[in-house]
Amino acid sequence: MMGDILLGLQTAMLPANLLWCFVGVFLGTLIGVIPGIGALAAISMLFPLTFHLDPTAALIMLAGIWYGTTYGGSTAAILLNVPGTPSSAVAALEGYPMSKQGRAGVALLITAVASFVGASVGIVIMMLFSPAIAEYALEFGSAEYFSLMLMGLIAASTISFGSTAKSLSMVALGVLLGCVGMDAYTAAPRFTFGILHLYDSISLMPLAMGLFGISEIAANVGMVDHKRMRGGDFSMRAMMPTRDDWLRSRMPSVRGAALGSFLGALPGVGPAIASFMSYAIEKKVARQPERFGHGAIEGLVAPETANNAADQTAFIPTMTLGIPGSPSMAIMLGVLMMQGIAPGPTLLRDHPELFWGLVMSFWIGNILLLIINIPLIGLWVRMLSVPYRLLYPSILVFVCMGVYSIGNSTADVWLVLIFGVSGYLMRVLDFSPAPLILGFVLGPMMEEYFRRAMLVSRGDPMIFVERPVSATILACICALVLWQVAQALRHRNGVGVGETP
Amino acid sequence: MSMKRDHRDVVGGLLMGGIGVFSAIYAFTHYDLGRVSKLGPGAFPAAMGVILAVLGGFILVSGLVRAASPPSFRLRPILCVSAALAAFTLIIGRFGLVPAVSAVVLVAAVAEQKPHWREAVLLAAVLSVAAIAVFKFGLGMEIPLADW
């Protein structure tokens, strides 16, 4: 372990990686602060730029954006009652009343500290458990991988993204889109309809950028409200929390960190759900629940700890098993695959410097964020007043140039357009595009594992049930599906918690 | 417009179901399904198509029996954003970076109810410079700045 940590520090401290880490967390905070752009859109937008970087630096930067947005999102929530990210919606419940009481500075500081604590716990857990999980997973065969990926997809559809049937259909559609191109085993072209560009299969980049970036812009133009900060609304000098504040925050942060770390590692559950559940739990165990909604610091600290912990543990299944729990993770996997690195248990073995460098960069990134977020509050506040009509054309330009820069081809820009329109259509029809990305990334791999498992078993589908690990996973899937059906019958309305990045 | 159906789900279900049916039939007729012990390229897509068709049907049926408010959407932003992207693809190859970037900004500006033209022109200039800095110098892209 010590050797790995040293290797990681060595890698993370390389000047190039330090630079990209800073760029990532800075951009992440900025994007988190501004409502109307999410982490996923930002990661999609920067995806083509990572093509020109080395894989470690690329991941460090994208990861910085991912957990950086969680730090920034609470700023807008506390100051303006407008969440910058879905996971900070809860921060507004207690943070905004606090700022109305003149305690905005306290709220912001304690949020930054809570976020750091949560992230630290998440990172430690990742450091402790990842090697063991990866080692265990090396024993996995095709059947196990197939079942695991299937569970990831179904869990993501049932737990978070709204109507289960719609999410599952998005997954299926994503898998179908993943089939476009040449078949891995026989090189037969599939669904290419004679279009040459499609022989190479659809690239994740234009799909993600169109589906998320473009459709988000189309939905937000003219709608994003910019409440302006009145000068002197809060005093930065009053930033130090009282002793009472610190004492009250101890147990909530412990509970938040534990809950967030656990939930973050599950596919389909992310920082937003972690923060909502954490708030609900705090309210339940509080000795004076009537204080909630009026600036109870426990209700601010716990969710902020939870969502940052979840941010970090989300990397565990992605890096150790190659199974992304959310679209952002899927894109980071896509980055690895594009650079020719196979994600999964072999990653820790074959590219330890990438994994440990990434983990150590989490420490560096979170420390940077703690430093950035406290003195630069004034800067973020000013950013909140940039009008969206200046932002979205900039985003469009960078999307176009970014996609075009890979191979100087306009074909991918056309794909962005097509997926942008499709993505908007999906939003209008209330289909969440997120499961589609998961299906798209996992589909081809699942197919390969399925076919290989069937080859090994000589056509016997029982192999999935005969191997114990695979059977256990399939049993969990059945349990999940039955639970969902039971819920649907009880409520007659399959509405879950919305979760985008 | 009858309020007795969830129109979003009806349309959505039809769409998904349609894609599913089409994919299944296409895979079935065009690609080799193989045997169970040696699945061909058509097997997985055909199965996915069937699953999608079933799910689509389920969504369609649930949309027919459930009442919900009709969907709201605005055509202008998505049309303008799409037009901006199309403009980029048509202009960049023929006329170079600066015209393409400017076209994106100006066409996208139309998406606003009341376009701020002077701002847009300024923004186009700023973004052109930024794009040149990031892509031409930063990443070393080979691309003419303006070429007619």
Side-chain angles (χ1 to χ4, degrees):
Chain A
M1 172 73 93
M2 271 318 287
D4 294 323
I5 295 182
L6 284 173
L7 173 66
L9 271 175
Q10 231 179 337
T11 317
M13 302 279 255
L14 289 173
N17 291 343
L18 277 178
L19 171 72
W20 290 112
C21 185
F22 179 74
V23 169
V25 301
F26 188 83
L27 276 179
T29 312
L30 187 65
I31 286 158
V33 165
I34 301 178
I37 317 182
L40 182 53
I43 291 177
S44 312
M45 246 162 57
L46 290 167
F47 187 177
L49 287 179
T50 64
F51 197 65
H52 306 273
L53 296 173
D54 99 354
T56 313
L59 271 190
I60 289 179
M61 180 185 74
L62 291 182
I65 297 178
W66 164 254
Y67 54 82
T69 54
T70 311
Y71 274 81
S74 46
T75 307
I78 293 172
L79 294 177
L80 298 180
N81 207 21
V82 175
T85 59
S87 64
S88 357
V90 182
L93 290 175
E94 301 300 329
Y96 188 61
M98 279 181 78
S99 65
K100 281 199 289 188
Q101 292 161 12
R103 305 228 299 154
V106 172
L108 290 168
L109 184 93
I110 216 155
T111 300
V113 173
S115 301
F116 183 75
V117 168
S120 306
V121 172
I123 299 175
V124 167
I125 292 194
M126 185 169 177
M127 286 168 68
L128 289 176
F129 288 103
S130 303
I133 296 178
E135 182 106 20
Y136 183 64
L138 278 172
E139 311 281 316
F140 283 2
S142 306
E144 281 79 17
Y145 274 113
F146 174 78
S147 304
L148 255 178
M149 290 180 175
L150 186 66
M151 185 176 82
L153 286 179
I154 296 194
S157 306
T158 52
I159 299 179
S160 36
F161 299 107
S163 154
T164 302
K166 284 180 169 180
S167 299
L168 284 175
S169 64
M170 282 283 106
V171 168
L173 184 58
V175 172
L176 277 174
L177 283 172
C179 290
V180 172
M182 290 212 280
D183 172 38
Y185 277 96
T186 61
R190 297 193 294 190
F191 295 117
T192 52
F193 304 115
I195 301 173
L196 202 64
H197 187 72
L198 291 179
Y199 273 75
D200 257 338
S201 78
I202 298 176
S203 163
L204 175 62
M205 205 196 335
L207 179 70
M209 289 165 97
L211 223 52
F212 290 101
I214 302 295
S215 69
E216 198 168 307
I217 291 177
N220 283 337
V221 168
M223 301 278 278
V224 179
D225 214 26
H226 278 280
K227 310 186 183 179
R228 298 188 163 251
M229 279 290 303
R230 295 187 303 276
D233 250 343
F234 64 96
S235 154
M236 293 306 297
R237 251 164 288 146
M239 262 190 121
M240 276 312 285
T242 64
R243 197 155 169 269
D244 183 61
D245 290 330
W246 289 115
L247 282 176
R248 281 182 190 278
S249 308
R250 268 184 338 180
M251 281 318 290
S253 55
V254 169
R255 286 190 284 263
L259 186 72
S261 304
F262 174 67
L263 289 180
L266 300 177
V269 183
I273 297 185
S275 67
F276 297 150
M277 276 190 69
S278 173
Y279 185 78
I281 290 179
E282 283 311 306
K283 210 165 167 190
K284 278 233 169 80
V285 305
R287 248 168 265 169
Q288 299 158 305
E290 61 283 355
R291 287 174 49 240
F292 277 65
H294 303 285
I297 205 156
E298 298 90 324
L300 181 62
V301 168
E304 285 302 305
T305 319
N307 61 20
N308 283 79
D311 275 344
Q312 306 299 157
T313 53
F315 280 93
I316 297 181
T318 309
M319 301 304 284
T320 59
L321 300 171
I323 298 189
S326 74
S328 298
M329 291 292 141
I331 294 182
M332 294 197 219
L333 270 190
V335 168
L336 281 177
M337 295 199 283
M338 234 171 46
Q339 301 256 10
I341 298 180
T346 52
L347 184 82
L348 258 96
R349 191 186 55 192
D350 298 336
H351 299 273
E353 75 287 349
L354 183 109
F355 178 80
W356 291 105
L358 185 67
V359 173
M360 287 299 132
S361 81
F362 290 164
W363 284 115
I364 298 177
N366 276 284
I367 294 175
L368 280 175
L369 279 166
L370 195 61
I371 298 174
I372 292 178
N373 269 276
I374 301 177
L376 293 188
I377 292 286
L379 174 67
W380 305 134
V381 167
R382 227 160 289 138
M383 297 299 341
L384 284 168
S385 33
V386 173
Y388 198 62
R389 64 172 181 274
L390 291 181
L391 277 178
Y392 79 84
S394 319
I395 298 173
L396 280 176
V397 167
F398 275 96
V399 166
C400 288
M401 289 299 303
V403 172
Y404 186 72
S405 74
I406 314 284
N408 269 41
S409 119
T410 53
D412 276 342
V413 184
W414 281 115
L415 280 179
V416 173
L417 199 163
I418 293 172
F419 287 120
V421 173
S422 313
Y424 185 68
L425 180 66
M426 283 176 212
R427 277 173 193 260
V428 168
L429 295 174
D430 197 29
F431 281 79
S432 163
L436 193 151
I437 296 262
L438 284 175
F440 181 78
V441 171
L442 288 179
M445 290 196 272
M446 278 177 67
E447 178 182 11
E448 205 179 306
Y449 286 127
F450 186 78
R451 284 162 87 171
R452 200 181 301 167
M454 293 299 271
L455 266 173
V456 164
S457 74
R458 278 180 264 261
D460 178 17
M462 292 307 286
I463 187 173
F464 295 104
V465 190
E466 278 162 17
R467 295 177 65 109
V469 177
S470 171
T472 323
I473 299 173
L474 288 177
C476 290
I477 297 180
C478 289
L480 243 166
V481 172
L482 285 172
W483 176 66
Q484 267 293 303
V485 172
Q487 278 228 315
L489 287 175
R490 245 194 304 148
H491 299 279
R492 308 216 116 238
N493 214 11
V495 179
V497 182
E499 163 105 58
T500 322
Chain B
M1 188 77 124
S2 145
M3 291 294 256
K4 278 184 276 166
R5 308 195 202 292
D6 186 350
H7 288 272
R8 279 187 309 188
D9 279 11
V10 170
V11 174
L14 276 173
L15 207 58
M16 290 294 135
I19 296 176
V21 168
F22 171 78
S23 311
I25 294 182
Y26 195 85
F28 201 70
T29 53
H30 282 79
Y31 308 127
D32 174 27
L33 289 180
R35 298 186 308 275
V36 190
S37 55
K38 193 163 182 274
L39 293 165
F44 207 69
M48 277 297 129
V50 170
I51 293 177
L52 185 58
V54 168
L55 286 167
F58 185 74
I59 298 170
L60 171 66
V61 167
S62 72
L64 285 172
V65 301
R66 186 180 55 221
S69 48
S72 71
F73 60 93
R74 299 169 302 143
L75 222 42
R76 189 176 172 140
I78 186 69
L79 282 179
C80 293
V81 168
S82 308
L85 289 172
F88 181 86
T89 55
L90 295 170
I91 294 181
I92 185 114
R94 181 85 176 73
F95 293 109
L97 186 151
V98 174
V101 168
S102 313
V104 171
V105 177
L106 293 171
V107 174
V110 181
E112 287 264 307
Q113 285 289 68
K114 287 194 303 169
H116 296 71
W117 289 115
R118 248 190 276 152
E119 258 184 24
V121 173
L122 202 59
L123 188 62
V126 168
L127 287 175
S128 298
V129 172
I132 295 173
V134 171
F135 291 95
K136 198 158 169 87
F137 293 125
L139 296 176
M141 246 177 100
E142 288 302 315
I143 181 169
L145 289 182
D147 179 22
W148 48 59

Short mmCIF file of all heavy atoms in Angstrom, two decimals, chain B residues 80-125:
data_model
loop_
_atom_site.label_atom_id
_atom_site.label_comp_id
_atom_site.label_asym_id
_atom_site.label_seq_id
_atom_site.Cartn_x
_atom_site.Cartn_y
_atom_site.Cartn_z
N CYS B 80 -32.85 27.03 -33.56
CA CYS B 80 -31.72 27.94 -33.74
C CYS B 80 -30.40 27.26 -33.39
O CYS B 80 -29.39 27.44 -34.08
CB CYS B 80 -31.89 29.18 -32.86
SG CYS B 80 -33.26 30.18 -33.41
N VAL B 81 -30.40 26.48 -32.32
CA VAL B 81 -29.16 25.79 -31.94
C VAL B 81 -28.77 24.81 -33.04
O VAL B 81 -27.60 24.72 -33.42
CB VAL B 81 -29.34 25.08 -30.59
CG1 VAL B 81 -28.20 24.15 -30.32
CG2 VAL B 81 -29.45 26.11 -29.47
N SER B 82 -29.75 24.08 -33.56
CA SER B 82 -29.46 23.14 -34.65
C SER B 82 -28.94 23.88 -35.86
O SER B 82 -27.98 23.44 -36.51
CB SER B 82 -30.71 22.35 -35.03
OG SER B 82 -31.29 21.77 -33.90
N ALA B 83 -29.59 25.00 -36.18
CA ALA B 83 -29.15 25.78 -37.34
C ALA B 83 -27.72 26.26 -37.14
O ALA B 83 -26.91 26.27 -38.07
CB ALA B 83 -30.09 26.96 -37.56
N ALA B 84 -27.39 26.65 -35.90
CA ALA B 84 -26.04 27.12 -35.62
C ALA B 84 -25.03 26.00 -35.88
O ALA B 84 -23.97 26.23 -36.48
CB ALA B 84 -25.94 27.62 -34.18
N LEU B 85 -25.35 24.80 -35.41
CA LEU B 85 -24.45 23.66 -35.63
C LEU B 85 -24.30 23.36 -37.12
O LEU B 85 -23.20 23.14 -37.62
CB LEU B 85 -24.97 22.43 -34.90
CG LEU B 85 -24.86 22.46 -33.38
CD1 LEU B 85 -25.59 21.27 -32.79
CD2 LEU B 85 -23.42 22.44 -32.96
N ALA B 86 -25.45 23.39 -37.83
CA ALA B 86 -25.40 23.12 -39.26
C ALA B 86 -24.55 24.17 -39.97
O ALA B 86 -23.74 23.85 -40.84
CB ALA B 86 -26.82 23.09 -39.83
N ALA B 87 -24.74 25.42 -39.56
CA ALA B 87 -23.96 26.50 -40.17
C ALA B 87 -22.48 26.24 -39.99
O ALA B 87 -21.68 26.42 -40.91
CB ALA B 87 -24.35 27.84 -39.53
N PHE B 88 -22.10 25.80 -38.80
CA PHE B 88 -20.69 25.52 -38.54
C PHE B 88 -20.15 24.49 -39.51
O PHE B 88 -19.11 24.68 -40.13
CB PHE B 88 -20.52 25.03 -37.10
CG PHE B 88 -19.09 24.74 -36.73
CD1 PHE B 88 -18.27 25.75 -36.28
CD2 PHE B 88 -18.56 23.47 -36.85
CE1 PHE B 88 -16.94 25.50 -35.95
CE2 PHE B 88 -17.26 23.19 -36.53
CZ PHE B 88 -16.43 24.21 -36.08
N THR B 89 -20.89 23.37 -39.65
CA THR B 89 -20.37 22.30 -40.50
C THR B 89 -20.25 22.74 -41.94
O THR B 89 -19.32 22.34 -42.65
CB THR B 89 -21.28 21.06 -40.46
OG1 THR B 89 -22.60 21.46 -40.82
CG2 THR B 89 -21.29 20.44 -39.10
N LEU B 90 -21.18 23.58 -42.39
CA LEU B 90 -21.14 23.99 -43.79
C LEU B 90 -20.06 25.02 -44.05
O LEU B 90 -19.50 25.09 -45.14
CB LEU B 90 -22.51 24.55 -44.20
CG LEU B 90 -23.64 23.52 -44.16
CD1 LEU B 90 -25.00 24.19 -44.33
CD2 LEU B 90 -23.43 22.46 -45.23
N ILE B 91 -19.75 25.82 -43.03
CA ILE B 91 -18.84 26.94 -43.26
C ILE B 91 -17.38 26.60 -42.96
O ILE B 91 -16.47 27.08 -43.62
CB ILE B 91 -19.28 28.17 -42.43
CG1 ILE B 91 -20.64 28.64 -42.96
CG2 ILE B 91 -18.27 29.29 -42.51
CD1 ILE B 91 -21.17 29.86 -42.25
N ILE B 92 -17.14 25.76 -41.97
CA ILE B 92 -15.76 25.59 -41.51
C ILE B 92 -14.86 25.02 -42.59
O ILE B 92 -13.71 25.44 -42.75
CB ILE B 92 -15.69 24.73 -40.23
CG1 ILE B 92 -14.25 24.69 -39.72
CG2 ILE B 92 -16.16 23.32 -40.47
CD1 ILE B 92 -14.07 25.35 -38.42
N GLY B 93 -15.37 24.07 -43.36
CA GLY B 93 -14.51 23.47 -44.37
C GLY B 93 -14.19 24.44 -45.48
O GLY B 93 -13.07 24.50 -45.99
N ARG B 94 -15.18 25.23 -45.83
CA ARG B 94 -15.08 26.08 -47.01
C ARG B 94 -14.46 27.43 -46.69
O ARG B 94 -13.70 27.97 -47.47
CB ARG B 94 -16.50 26.24 -47.57
CG ARG B 94 -16.64 27.07 -48.80
CD ARG B 94 -16.39 26.27 -50.08
NE ARG B 94 -16.64 27.13 -51.23
CZ ARG B 94 -15.81 28.11 -51.61
NH1 ARG B 94 -14.73 28.33 -50.92
NH2 ARG B 94 -16.10 28.87 -52.63
N PHE B 95 -14.82 27.99 -45.52
CA PHE B 95 -14.44 29.38 -45.27
C PHE B 95 -13.52 29.58 -44.07
O PHE B 95 -13.04 30.67 -43.85
CB PHE B 95 -15.68 30.26 -45.07
CG PHE B 95 -16.51 30.40 -46.31
CD1 PHE B 95 -17.75 29.79 -46.40
CD2 PHE B 95 -16.06 31.14 -47.39
CE1 PHE B 95 -18.51 29.91 -47.55
CE2 PHE B 95 -16.82 31.26 -48.55
CZ PHE B 95 -18.05 30.64 -48.62
N GLY B 96 -13.28 28.54 -43.28
CA GLY B 96 -12.30 28.70 -42.21
C GLY B 96 -12.91 28.95 -40.85
O GLY B 96 -14.12 29.00 -40.66
N LEU B 97 -12.02 29.14 -39.87
CA LEU B 97 -12.41 29.17 -38.47
C LEU B 97 -13.24 30.39 -38.11
O LEU B 97 -14.32 30.28 -37.53
CB LEU B 97 -11.15 29.11 -37.60
CG LEU B 97 -11.31 28.99 -36.09
CD1 LEU B 97 -10.12 28.25 -35.52
CD2 LEU B 97 -11.41 30.32 -35.41
N VAL B 98 -12.73 31.58 -38.42
CA VAL B 98 -13.40 32.80 -37.95
C VAL B 98 -14.83 32.91 -38.47
O VAL B 98 -15.76 33.15 -37.69
CB VAL B 98 -12.57 34.06 -38.29
CG1 VAL B 98 -13.34 35.31 -37.95
CG2 VAL B 98 -11.25 34.04 -37.55
N PRO B 99 -15.04 32.71 -39.79
CA PRO B 99 -16.43 32.77 -40.26
C PRO B 99 -17.32 31.72 -39.59
O PRO B 99 -18.47 32.00 -39.24
CB PRO B 99 -16.32 32.52 -41.77
CG PRO B 99 -14.93 32.85 -42.12
CD PRO B 99 -14.10 32.53 -40.92
N ALA B 100 -16.76 30.51 -39.38
CA ALA B 100 -17.59 29.45 -38.79
C ALA B 100 -17.98 29.79 -37.36
O ALA B 100 -19.15 29.66 -36.97
CB ALA B 100 -16.83 28.12 -38.83
N VAL B 101 -17.01 30.22 -36.56
CA VAL B 101 -17.31 30.58 -35.17
C VAL B 101 -18.32 31.72 -35.12
O VAL B 101 -19.28 31.70 -34.35
CB VAL B 101 -16.02 30.96 -34.42
CG1 VAL B 101 -16.33 31.61 -33.10
CG2 VAL B 101 -15.14 29.75 -34.23
N SER B 102 -18.09 32.73 -35.96
CA SER B 102 -19.02 33.87 -35.97
C SER B 102 -20.42 33.42 -36.34
O SER B 102 -21.41 33.86 -35.75
CB SER B 102 -18.54 34.94 -36.95
OG SER B 102 -17.17 35.17 -36.77
N ALA B 103 -20.49 32.51 -37.33
CA ALA B 103 -21.81 32.04 -37.75
C ALA B 103 -22.53 31.38 -36.58
O ALA B 103 -23.72 31.62 -36.35
CB ALA B 103 -21.67 31.06 -38.90
N VAL B 104 -21.80 30.55 -35.82
CA VAL B 104 -22.43 29.87 -34.67
C VAL B 104 -23.01 30.89 -33.72
O VAL B 104 -24.17 30.80 -33.30
CB VAL B 104 -21.40 28.98 -33.94
CG1 VAL B 104 -21.97 28.47 -32.65
CG2 VAL B 104 -20.96 27.84 -34.82
N VAL B 105 -22.21 31.89 -33.35
CA VAL B 105 -22.67 32.87 -32.37
C VAL B 105 -23.88 33.65 -32.88
O VAL B 105 -24.87 33.84 -32.19
CB VAL B 105 -21.54 33.85 -32.01
CG1 VAL B 105 -22.03 34.91 -31.06
CG2 VAL B 105 -20.37 33.10 -31.41
N LEU B 106 -23.79 34.08 -34.15
CA LEU B 106 -24.86 34.93 -34.67
C LEU B 106 -26.16 34.14 -34.87
O LEU B 106 -27.24 34.62 -34.54
CB LEU B 106 -24.40 35.59 -35.98
CG LEU B 106 -23.28 36.60 -35.76
CD1 LEU B 106 -22.71 37.08 -37.08
CD2 LEU B 106 -23.79 37.79 -34.96
N VAL B 107 -26.04 32.93 -35.40
CA VAL B 107 -27.25 32.14 -35.59
C VAL B 107 -27.85 31.77 -34.24
O VAL B 107 -29.06 31.82 -34.03
CB VAL B 107 -26.96 30.86 -36.41
CG1 VAL B 107 -28.18 29.97 -36.48
CG2 VAL B 107 -26.51 31.23 -37.81
N ALA B 108 -26.97 31.41 -33.27
CA ALA B 108 -27.47 31.03 -31.95
C ALA B 108 -28.14 32.20 -31.26
O ALA B 108 -29.04 32.01 -30.44
CB ALA B 108 -26.32 30.50 -31.10
N ALA B 109 -27.71 33.42 -31.58
CA ALA B 109 -28.29 34.60 -30.93
C ALA B 109 -29.78 34.71 -31.23
O ALA B 109 -30.55 35.22 -30.42
CB ALA B 109 -27.56 35.85 -31.39
N VAL B 110 -30.19 34.19 -32.38
CA VAL B 110 -31.60 34.28 -32.77
C VAL B 110 -32.49 33.49 -31.81
O VAL B 110 -33.69 33.72 -31.73
CB VAL B 110 -31.78 33.74 -34.22
CG1 VAL B 110 -33.21 33.85 -34.68
CG2 VAL B 110 -30.87 34.49 -35.17
N ALA B 111 -31.87 32.56 -31.04
CA ALA B 111 -32.65 31.73 -30.13
C ALA B 111 -33.31 32.55 -29.03
O ALA B 111 -34.33 32.16 -28.47
CB ALA B 111 -31.77 30.65 -29.53
N GLU B 112 -32.70 33.70 -28.72
CA GLU B 112 -33.28 34.56 -27.70
C GLU B 112 -34.50 35.28 -28.26
O GLU B 112 -34.54 35.63 -29.43
CB GLU B 112 -32.25 35.62 -27.28
CG GLU B 112 -31.13 35.07 -26.45
CD GLU B 112 -31.40 35.26 -24.98
OE1 GLU B 112 -31.68 36.39 -24.60
OE2 GLU B 112 -31.35 34.26 -24.25
N GLN B 113 -35.46 35.53 -27.43
CA GLN B 113 -36.66 36.24 -27.88
C GLN B 113 -36.32 37.59 -28.46
O GLN B 113 -36.86 38.01 -29.46
CB GLN B 113 -37.64 36.41 -26.71
CG GLN B 113 -38.36 35.13 -26.33
CD GLN B 113 -39.39 34.75 -27.38
OE1 GLN B 113 -39.05 34.38 -28.51
NE2 GLN B 113 -40.63 34.86 -27.04
N LYS B 114 -35.39 38.30 -27.78
CA LYS B 114 -34.95 39.60 -28.30
C LYS B 114 -33.43 39.56 -28.44
O LYS B 114 -32.71 39.84 -27.49
CB LYS B 114 -35.34 40.72 -27.32
CG LYS B 114 -36.83 41.02 -27.33
CD LYS B 114 -37.14 42.33 -26.62
CE LYS B 114 -36.64 42.35 -25.19
NZ LYS B 114 -36.72 43.71 -24.61
N PRO B 115 -32.96 39.21 -29.63
CA PRO B 115 -31.50 39.04 -29.79
C PRO B 115 -30.74 40.33 -29.54
O PRO B 115 -31.15 41.39 -29.98
CB PRO B 115 -31.34 38.61 -31.25
CG PRO B 115 -32.70 38.28 -31.74
CD PRO B 115 -33.68 38.96 -30.87
N HIS B 116 -29.64 40.19 -28.79
CA HIS B 116 -28.80 41.36 -28.56
C HIS B 116 -27.68 41.34 -29.59
O HIS B 116 -26.65 40.71 -29.39
CB HIS B 116 -28.19 41.29 -27.15
CG HIS B 116 -29.22 41.35 -26.05
ND1 HIS B 116 -30.08 40.32 -25.78
CD2 HIS B 116 -29.52 42.32 -25.15
CE1 HIS B 116 -30.85 40.65 -24.77
NE2 HIS B 116 -30.53 41.85 -24.37
N TRP B 117 -27.90 42.02 -30.73
CA TRP B 117 -26.98 41.87 -31.84
C TRP B 117 -25.59 42.41 -31.59
O TRP B 117 -24.60 41.79 -31.95
CB TRP B 117 -27.56 42.50 -33.12
CG TRP B 117 -28.69 41.67 -33.63
CD1 TRP B 117 -30.00 42.04 -33.71
CD2 TRP B 117 -28.64 40.32 -34.10
NE1 TRP B 117 -30.77 41.02 -34.21
CE2 TRP B 117 -29.96 39.94 -34.46
CE3 TRP B 117 -27.61 39.39 -34.27
CZ2 TRP B 117 -30.27 38.68 -34.97
CZ3 TRP B 117 -27.92 38.14 -34.77
CH2 TRP B 117 -29.23 37.78 -35.11
N ARG B 118 -25.51 43.60 -30.95
CA ARG B 118 -24.18 44.17 -30.75
C ARG B 118 -23.36 43.27 -29.84
O ARG B 118 -22.17 43.03 -30.08
CB ARG B 118 -24.28 45.59 -30.15
CG ARG B 118 -23.83 46.64 -31.15
CD ARG B 118 -23.68 48.00 -30.55
NE ARG B 118 -24.94 48.73 -30.50
CZ ARG B 118 -25.22 49.67 -29.60
NH1 ARG B 118 -24.34 49.99 -28.70
NH2 ARG B 118 -26.37 50.29 -29.62
N GLU B 119 -24.01 42.76 -28.80
CA GLU B 119 -23.33 41.82 -27.90
C GLU B 119 -22.85 40.60 -28.66
O GLU B 119 -21.74 40.11 -28.45
CB GLU B 119 -24.29 41.35 -26.80
CG GLU B 119 -24.08 42.01 -25.48
CD GLU B 119 -25.00 41.44 -24.43
OE1 GLU B 119 -25.44 40.28 -24.60
OE2 GLU B 119 -25.26 42.15 -23.46
N ALA B 120 -23.72 40.12 -29.57
CA ALA B 120 -23.40 38.89 -30.30
C ALA B 120 -22.16 39.10 -31.16
O ALA B 120 -21.27 38.24 -31.20
CB ALA B 120 -24.59 38.46 -31.15
N VAL B 121 -22.09 40.24 -31.84
CA VAL B 121 -20.93 40.50 -32.70
C VAL B 121 -19.65 40.55 -31.86
O VAL B 121 -18.63 39.95 -32.19
CB VAL B 121 -21.11 41.83 -33.47
CG1 VAL B 121 -19.84 42.18 -34.21
CG2 VAL B 121 -22.27 41.72 -34.44
N LEU B 122 -19.76 41.22 -30.72
CA LEU B 122 -18.61 41.31 -29.83
C LEU B 122 -18.20 39.93 -29.34
O LEU B 122 -17.02 39.56 -29.33
CB LEU B 122 -18.97 42.20 -28.63
CG LEU B 122 -17.80 42.83 -27.90
CD1 LEU B 122 -17.00 43.69 -28.86
CD2 LEU B 122 -18.29 43.68 -26.74
N LEU B 123 -19.20 39.16 -28.94
CA LEU B 123 -18.94 37.81 -28.45
C LEU B 123 -18.29 36.95 -29.53
O LEU B 123 -17.38 36.18 -29.27
CB LEU B 123 -20.25 37.17 -27.97
CG LEU B 123 -20.12 35.83 -27.24
CD1 LEU B 123 -19.31 36.00 -25.97
CD2 LEU B 123 -21.49 35.29 -26.91
N ALA B 124 -18.78 37.12 -30.78
CA ALA B 124 -18.22 36.34 -31.88
C ALA B 124 -16.73 36.65 -32.02
O ALA B 124 -15.91 35.74 -32.21
CB ALA B 124 -18.95 36.66 -33.18
N ALA B 125 -16.39 37.94 -31.90
CA ALA B 125 -14.98 38.32 -32.01
C ALA B 125 -14.16 37.70 -30.89
O ALA B 125 -13.10 37.09 -31.12
CB ALA B 125 -14.86 39.84 -32.00
#
